[in-house]
Amino acid sequence: MSRLTQLELYLKDHPEHVSPLVDFDSQTDKLFPFDFSSSNQELSPQTVADTSLFSSWISNKLQVNNCRYGLGGYNERRMLYSRSELFNNSEEPRRLHLGVDIWAEAGTPVYAPLSGQIHSFRFNDAFGDYGATLILEHDLDGLIFYSLYGHLSLSSISGLQKGAIVKQGEKIAEFGIFSENGNWPPHLHFQLILDMQGHEGDYPGVCQFSEKLKFLGNCPDPDILLNRTFS
């Protein structure tokens, strides 16, 4: 049985071990499904390249649709990464998104969906990078995996210690502003990782399309946890 199958079965059998990632009330909140694939013709390259314009576009979409949160992105092939040289530094640019993005206002609280410990954290400050980043390690009856939280506020990683215990449902972070989150509209990049492969405070959130199978095999769909947040 694969580790992914083990993880899926464990979470199915123990739903009480999973808590919402953000504050979301299914009775009063609506969720906007963002599509940043190449089929989305609404966003111009000029808008995406300008963080303020891009942020205004996101905020307007949420406002006119009466949504506090937007969601999307796993296994999505996106052209918007052309805005940063971070993703264009090879013969094949990185365009495939490996996590899920939750779009909301800066300062939005983030909670630990599972108990665990702090694996690592870092301020990845390049334009287009994660900005303030936190990675948790989880141990579910011997099944070890990791969750990554990118585009946080700097205060979210201030004073942290590797190995510190994090309780399920504990507030662990907040969405960051432009200068703290890699120069993106405020949002959370949430990613699951089976094997950190030696990375500390960072792990690719976008890969080359030719490496799709390898990276998606190591980064399962976060919906196996998020379905407890947005249901």
Side-chain angles (χ1 to χ4, degrees):
M1 185 184 300
S2 71
R3 292 176 66 199
L4 174 55
T5 301
Q6 292 176 1
L7 176 58
E8 291 173 331
L9 289 175
Y10 183 95
L11 295 175
K12 181 180 179 180
D13 292 340
H14 301 280
E16 72 280 4
H17 292 178
V18 183
S19 294
L21 185 61
V22 295
D23 291 314
F24 182 83
D25 187 337
S26 60
Q27 301 299 312
T28 58
D29 284 325
K30 293 171 58 181
L31 189 64
F32 185 78
F34 277 108
D35 176 6
F36 292 119
S37 68
S38 56
S39 63
N40 184 349
Q41 300 298 311
E42 287 189 59
L43 271 175
S44 70
Q46 292 76 21
T47 297
V48 171
D50 186 310
T51 305
S52 293
L53 289 178
F54 191 11
S55 186
S56 294
W57 187 90
I58 293 285
S59 297
N60 183 66
K61 277 291 184 184
L62 295 176
Q63 183 176 4
V64 299
N65 288 281
N66 194 31
C67 294
R68 188 154 60 123
Y69 297 100
L71 182 71
Y74 180 71
N75 192 18
E76 187 174 66
R77 198 169 185 175
R78 296 172 161 182
M79 297 309 296
L80 58 83
Y81 295 115
S82 61
R83 75 193 297 264
S84 170
E85 288 304 311
L86 185 69
F87 307 101
N88 300 324
N89 56 358
S90 66
E91 293 182 1
E92 181 190 357
R94 292 189 288 148
R95 295 289 185 265
L96 189 72
H97 193 237
L98 301 172
V100 165
D101 289 331
I102 301 175
W103 304 84
E105 295 181 355
T108 296
V110 181
Y111 304 94
L114 297 157
S115 297
Q117 64 178 349
I118 295 175
H119 172 271
S120 53
F121 51 91
R122 183 187 298 170
F123 185 33
N124 298 295
D125 195 28
F127 181 87
D129 209 334
Y130 285 131
T133 313
L134 172 64
I135 299 173
L136 301 183
E137 179 179 323
H138 309 282
D139 185 344
L140 304 181
D141 292 343
L143 177 61
I144 297 175
F145 70 101
Y146 307 85
S147 56
L148 182 150
Y149 309 79
H151 312 299
L152 306 176
S153 67
L154 273 175
S155 62
S156 299
I157 61 172
S158 176
L160 297 184
Q161 290 187 332
K162 292 180 63 173
I165 299 300
V166 173
K167 296 180 180 180
Q168 175 190 348
E170 177 183 344
K171 181 182 174 182
I172 55 172
E174 295 178 347
F175 290 23
I177 59 176
F178 301 166
S179 60
E180 300 174 332
N181 77 355
N183 228 269
W184 290 94
H187 72 288
L188 172 71
H189 174 96
F190 178 62
Q191 185 169 332
L192 299 182
I193 305 164
L194 299 179
D195 184 351
M196 284 298 296
Q197 301 168 334
H199 288 272
E200 294 272 338
D202 192 14
Y203 187 87
V206 183
C207 74
Q208 297 172 331
F209 195 73
S210 64
E211 296 190 312
K212 172 180 178 177
L213 293 180
K214 180 180 76 172
F215 275 98
L216 291 184
N218 194 41
C219 301
D221 190 340
D223 190 56
I224 60 177
L225 291 182
L226 288 178
N227 57 17
R228 292 301 303 271
T229 296
F230 299 113
S231 60

PDB file of all heavy atoms in Angstrom, residues 24-43:
ATOM      1  N   PHE A  24     -14.052  29.492   8.193  1.00  0.00           N
ATOM      2  CA  PHE A  24     -15.012  29.442   7.092  1.00  0.00           C
ATOM      3  C   PHE A  24     -16.312  28.872   7.620  1.00  0.00           C
ATOM      4  O   PHE A  24     -16.333  27.798   8.215  1.00  0.00           O
ATOM      5  CB  PHE A  24     -14.486  28.561   5.958  1.00  0.00           C
ATOM      6  CG  PHE A  24     -15.400  28.486   4.760  1.00  0.00           C
ATOM      7  CD1 PHE A  24     -15.366  29.472   3.796  1.00  0.00           C
ATOM      8  CD2 PHE A  24     -16.294  27.429   4.624  1.00  0.00           C
ATOM      9  CE1 PHE A  24     -16.212  29.408   2.697  1.00  0.00           C
ATOM     10  CE2 PHE A  24     -17.148  27.363   3.528  1.00  0.00           C
ATOM     11  CZ  PHE A  24     -17.110  28.354   2.561  1.00  0.00           C
ATOM     12  N   ASP A  25     -17.403  29.623   7.412  1.00  0.00           N
ATOM     13  CA  ASP A  25     -18.725  29.200   7.852  1.00  0.00           C
ATOM     14  C   ASP A  25     -19.541  28.848   6.611  1.00  0.00           C
ATOM     15  O   ASP A  25     -19.916  29.740   5.842  1.00  0.00           O
ATOM     16  CB  ASP A  25     -19.397  30.315   8.637  1.00  0.00           C
ATOM     17  CG  ASP A  25     -20.718  29.883   9.269  1.00  0.00           C
ATOM     18  OD1 ASP A  25     -21.338  28.914   8.770  1.00  0.00           O
ATOM     19  OD2 ASP A  25     -21.133  30.529  10.245  1.00  0.00           O
ATOM     20  N   SER A  26     -19.795  27.581   6.417  1.00  0.00           N
ATOM     21  CA  SER A  26     -20.509  27.152   5.214  1.00  0.00           C
ATOM     22  C   SER A  26     -21.930  27.694   5.156  1.00  0.00           C
ATOM     23  O   SER A  26     -22.553  27.688   4.084  1.00  0.00           O
ATOM     24  CB  SER A  26     -20.537  25.624   5.144  1.00  0.00           C
ATOM     25  OG  SER A  26     -21.203  25.068   6.272  1.00  0.00           O
ATOM     26  N   GLN A  27     -22.441  28.180   6.292  1.00  0.00           N
ATOM     27  CA  GLN A  27     -23.790  28.736   6.311  1.00  0.00           C
ATOM     28  C   GLN A  27     -23.829  30.183   5.832  1.00  0.00           C
ATOM     29  O   GLN A  27     -24.859  30.639   5.321  1.00  0.00           O
ATOM     30  CB  GLN A  27     -24.368  28.662   7.736  1.00  0.00           C
ATOM     31  CG  GLN A  27     -24.438  27.259   8.304  1.00  0.00           C
ATOM     32  CD  GLN A  27     -25.310  26.335   7.495  1.00  0.00           C
ATOM     33  OE1 GLN A  27     -26.432  26.680   7.132  1.00  0.00           O
ATOM     34  NE2 GLN A  27     -24.792  25.145   7.186  1.00  0.00           N
ATOM     35  N   THR A  28     -22.714  30.887   5.991  1.00  0.00           N
ATOM     36  CA  THR A  28     -22.717  32.316   5.650  1.00  0.00           C
ATOM     37  C   THR A  28     -21.656  32.694   4.621  1.00  0.00           C
ATOM     38  O   THR A  28     -21.800  33.727   3.951  1.00  0.00           O
ATOM     39  CB  THR A  28     -22.491  33.164   6.919  1.00  0.00           C
ATOM     40  OG1 THR A  28     -21.247  32.775   7.531  1.00  0.00           O
ATOM     41  CG2 THR A  28     -23.616  32.948   7.921  1.00  0.00           C
ATOM     42  N   ASP A  29     -20.610  31.921   4.489  1.00  0.00           N
ATOM     43  CA  ASP A  29     -19.516  32.252   3.571  1.00  0.00           C
ATOM     44  C   ASP A  29     -19.696  31.569   2.219  1.00  0.00           C
ATOM     45  O   ASP A  29     -20.190  30.445   2.139  1.00  0.00           O
ATOM     46  CB  ASP A  29     -18.163  31.817   4.148  1.00  0.00           C
ATOM     47  CG  ASP A  29     -17.679  32.738   5.240  1.00  0.00           C
ATOM     48  OD1 ASP A  29     -17.934  33.947   5.143  1.00  0.00           O
ATOM     49  OD2 ASP A  29     -17.044  32.243   6.190  1.00  0.00           O
ATOM     50  N   LYS A  30     -19.296  32.272   1.179  1.00  0.00           N
ATOM     51  CA  LYS A  30     -19.244  31.698  -0.160  1.00  0.00           C
ATOM     52  C   LYS A  30     -17.792  31.589  -0.591  1.00  0.00           C
ATOM     53  O   LYS A  30     -16.937  32.367  -0.148  1.00  0.00           O
ATOM     54  CB  LYS A  30     -20.013  32.571  -1.156  1.00  0.00           C
ATOM     55  CG  LYS A  30     -21.507  32.616  -0.914  1.00  0.00           C
ATOM     56  CD  LYS A  30     -22.166  33.674  -1.788  1.00  0.00           C
ATOM     57  CE  LYS A  30     -21.927  33.437  -3.268  1.00  0.00           C
ATOM     58  NZ  LYS A  30     -22.560  34.488  -4.105  1.00  0.00           N
ATOM     59  N   LEU A  31     -17.506  30.649  -1.469  1.00  0.00           N
ATOM     60  CA  LEU A  31     -16.143  30.358  -1.917  1.00  0.00           C
ATOM     61  C   LEU A  31     -16.074  30.562  -3.421  1.00  0.00           C
ATOM     62  O   LEU A  31     -16.840  29.948  -4.171  1.00  0.00           O
ATOM     63  CB  LEU A  31     -15.784  28.921  -1.554  1.00  0.00           C
ATOM     64  CG  LEU A  31     -14.342  28.465  -1.748  1.00  0.00           C
ATOM     65  CD1 LEU A  31     -13.408  29.239  -0.822  1.00  0.00           C
ATOM     66  CD2 LEU A  31     -14.235  26.975  -1.458  1.00  0.00           C
ATOM     67  N   PHE A  32     -15.137  31.419  -3.860  1.00  0.00           N
ATOM     68  CA  PHE A  32     -15.018  31.680  -5.291  1.00  0.00           C
ATOM     69  C   PHE A  32     -13.953  30.776  -5.905  1.00  0.00           C
ATOM     70  O   PHE A  32     -12.813  30.729  -5.427  1.00  0.00           O
ATOM     71  CB  PHE A  32     -14.638  33.145  -5.551  1.00  0.00           C
ATOM     72  CG  PHE A  32     -14.613  33.493  -7.015  1.00  0.00           C
ATOM     73  CD1 PHE A  32     -15.785  33.731  -7.697  1.00  0.00           C
ATOM     74  CD2 PHE A  32     -13.412  33.555  -7.710  1.00  0.00           C
ATOM     75  CE1 PHE A  32     -15.773  34.040  -9.052  1.00  0.00           C
ATOM     76  CE2 PHE A  32     -13.387  33.860  -9.053  1.00  0.00           C
ATOM     77  CZ  PHE A  32     -14.571  34.107  -9.733  1.00  0.00           C
ATOM     78  N   PRO A  33     -14.293  30.034  -6.968  1.00  0.00           N
ATOM     79  CA  PRO A  33     -13.314  29.137  -7.605  1.00  0.00           C
ATOM     80  C   PRO A  33     -12.461  29.876  -8.634  1.00  0.00           C
ATOM     81  O   PRO A  33     -12.896  30.122  -9.753  1.00  0.00           O
ATOM     82  CB  PRO A  33     -14.219  28.089  -8.280  1.00  0.00           C
ATOM     83  CG  PRO A  33     -15.474  28.839  -8.617  1.00  0.00           C
ATOM     84  CD  PRO A  33     -15.650  29.883  -7.552  1.00  0.00           C
ATOM     85  N   PHE A  34     -11.244  30.213  -8.263  1.00  0.00           N
ATOM     86  CA  PHE A  34     -10.345  30.890  -9.198  1.00  0.00           C
ATOM     87  C   PHE A  34      -9.757  29.893 -10.200  1.00  0.00           C
ATOM     88  O   PHE A  34      -9.434  28.762  -9.853  1.00  0.00           O
ATOM     89  CB  PHE A  34      -9.200  31.580  -8.452  1.00  0.00           C
ATOM     90  CG  PHE A  34      -9.564  32.927  -7.903  1.00  0.00           C
ATOM     91  CD1 PHE A  34      -9.733  33.112  -6.537  1.00  0.00           C
ATOM     92  CD2 PHE A  34      -9.735  34.015  -8.738  1.00  0.00           C
ATOM     93  CE1 PHE A  34     -10.072  34.351  -6.024  1.00  0.00           C
ATOM     94  CE2 PHE A  34     -10.074  35.270  -8.244  1.00  0.00           C
ATOM     95  CZ  PHE A  34     -10.240  35.436  -6.878  1.00  0.00           C
ATOM     96  N   ASP A  35      -9.622  30.356 -11.422  1.00  0.00           N
ATOM     97  CA  ASP A  35      -8.997  29.584 -12.492  1.00  0.00           C
ATOM     98  C   ASP A  35      -7.862  30.419 -13.074  1.00  0.00           C
ATOM     99  O   ASP A  35      -8.095  31.446 -13.696  1.00  0.00           O
ATOM    100  CB  ASP A  35     -10.033  29.259 -13.573  1.00  0.00           C
ATOM    101  CG  ASP A  35      -9.435  28.532 -14.773  1.00  0.00           C
ATOM    102  OD1 ASP A  35      -8.235  28.177 -14.726  1.00  0.00           O
ATOM    103  OD2 ASP A  35     -10.159  28.325 -15.754  1.00  0.00           O
ATOM    104  N   PHE A  36      -6.622  29.981 -12.835  1.00  0.00           N
ATOM    105  CA  PHE A  36      -5.469  30.692 -13.376  1.00  0.00           C
ATOM    106  C   PHE A  36      -4.765  29.883 -14.463  1.00  0.00           C
ATOM    107  O   PHE A  36      -3.590  30.098 -14.742  1.00  0.00           O
ATOM    108  CB  PHE A  36      -4.486  31.039 -12.258  1.00  0.00           C
ATOM    109  CG  PHE A  36      -5.020  32.056 -11.292  1.00  0.00           C
ATOM    110  CD1 PHE A  36      -5.188  31.750  -9.952  1.00  0.00           C
ATOM    111  CD2 PHE A  36      -5.386  33.321 -11.730  1.00  0.00           C
ATOM    112  CE1 PHE A  36      -5.695  32.677  -9.063  1.00  0.00           C
ATOM    113  CE2 PHE A  36      -5.893  34.261 -10.855  1.00  0.00           C
ATOM    114  CZ  PHE A  36      -6.051  33.941  -9.507  1.00  0.00           C
ATOM    115  N   SER A  37      -5.496  28.947 -15.049  1.00  0.00           N
ATOM    116  CA  SER A  37      -4.931  28.184 -16.159  1.00  0.00           C
ATOM    117  C   SER A  37      -4.863  29.081 -17.403  1.00  0.00           C
ATOM    118  O   SER A  37      -5.398  30.192 -17.428  1.00  0.00           O
ATOM    119  CB  SER A  37      -5.784  26.956 -16.448  1.00  0.00           C
ATOM    120  OG  SER A  37      -7.037  27.330 -16.973  1.00  0.00           O
ATOM    121  N   SER A  38      -4.236  28.569 -18.441  1.00  0.00           N
ATOM    122  CA  SER A  38      -4.080  29.345 -19.676  1.00  0.00           C
ATOM    123  C   SER A  38      -5.413  29.637 -20.350  1.00  0.00           C
ATOM    124  O   SER A  38      -5.501  30.515 -21.222  1.00  0.00           O
ATOM    125  CB  SER A  38      -3.160  28.604 -20.647  1.00  0.00           C
ATOM    126  OG  SER A  38      -3.660  27.307 -20.905  1.00  0.00           O
ATOM    127  N   SER A  39      -6.479  28.942 -19.944  1.00  0.00           N
ATOM    128  CA  SER A  39      -7.798  29.177 -20.535  1.00  0.00           C
ATOM    129  C   SER A  39      -8.453  30.450 -19.998  1.00  0.00           C
ATOM    130  O   SER A  39      -9.443  30.930 -20.563  1.00  0.00           O
ATOM    131  CB  SER A  39      -8.716  27.974 -20.281  1.00  0.00           C
ATOM    132  OG  SER A  39      -8.928  27.792 -18.893  1.00  0.00           O
ATOM    133  N   ASN A  40      -7.916  31.001 -18.912  1.00  0.00           N
ATOM    134  CA  ASN A  40      -8.460  32.239 -18.341  1.00  0.00           C
ATOM    135  C   ASN A  40      -7.940  33.430 -19.144  1.00  0.00           C
ATOM    136  O   ASN A  40      -6.760  33.790 -19.037  1.00  0.00           O
ATOM    137  CB  ASN A  40      -8.058  32.357 -16.874  1.00  0.00           C
ATOM    138  CG  ASN A  40      -8.669  33.570 -16.192  1.00  0.00           C
ATOM    139  OD1 ASN A  40      -9.240  34.447 -16.828  1.00  0.00           O
ATOM    140  ND2 ASN A  40      -8.539  33.614 -14.870  1.00  0.00           N
ATOM    141  N   GLN A  41      -8.814  34.046 -19.921  1.00  0.00           N
ATOM    142  CA  GLN A  41      -8.428  35.165 -20.771  1.00  0.00           C
ATOM    143  C   GLN A  41      -8.686  36.524 -20.123  1.00  0.00           C
ATOM    144  O   GLN A  41      -8.404  37.556 -20.723  1.00  0.00           O
ATOM    145  CB  GLN A  41      -9.191  35.083 -22.097  1.00  0.00           C
ATOM    146  CG  GLN A  41      -8.935  33.803 -22.883  1.00  0.00           C
ATOM    147  CD  GLN A  41      -7.482  33.650 -23.281  1.00  0.00           C
ATOM    148  OE1 GLN A  41      -6.862  34.581 -23.811  1.00  0.00           O
ATOM    149  NE2 GLN A  41      -6.915  32.470 -23.002  1.00  0.00           N
ATOM    150  N   GLU A  42      -9.239  36.524 -18.905  1.00  0.00           N
ATOM    151  CA  GLU A  42      -9.555  37.797 -18.245  1.00  0.00           C
ATOM    152  C   GLU A  42      -8.319  38.548 -17.773  1.00  0.00           C
ATOM    153  O   GLU A  42      -8.292  39.778 -17.779  1.00  0.00           O
ATOM    154  CB  GLU A  42     -10.456  37.532 -17.035  1.00  0.00           C
ATOM    155  CG  GLU A  42     -11.876  37.151 -17.360  1.00  0.00           C
ATOM    156  CD  GLU A  42     -12.726  37.137 -16.098  1.00  0.00           C
ATOM    157  OE1 GLU A  42     -12.815  38.179 -15.429  1.00  0.00           O
ATOM    158  OE2 GLU A  42     -13.272  36.068 -15.791  1.00  0.00           O
ATOM    159  N   LEU A  43      -7.314  37.807 -17.335  1.00  0.00           N
ATOM    160  CA  LEU A  43      -6.122  38.426 -16.764  1.00  0.00           C
ATOM    161  C   LEU A  43      -5.093  38.716 -17.849  1.00  0.00           C
ATOM    162  O   LEU A  43      -4.606  37.803 -18.514  1.00  0.00           O
ATOM    163  CB  LEU A  43      -5.497  37.505 -15.714  1.00  0.00           C
ATOM    164  CG  LEU A  43      -5.989  37.637 -14.274  1.00  0.00           C
ATOM    165  CD1 LEU A  43      -5.349  36.565 -13.419  1.00  0.00           C
ATOM    166  CD2 LEU A  43      -5.674  39.010 -13.723  1.00  0.00           C
TER     167      LEU A  43
END
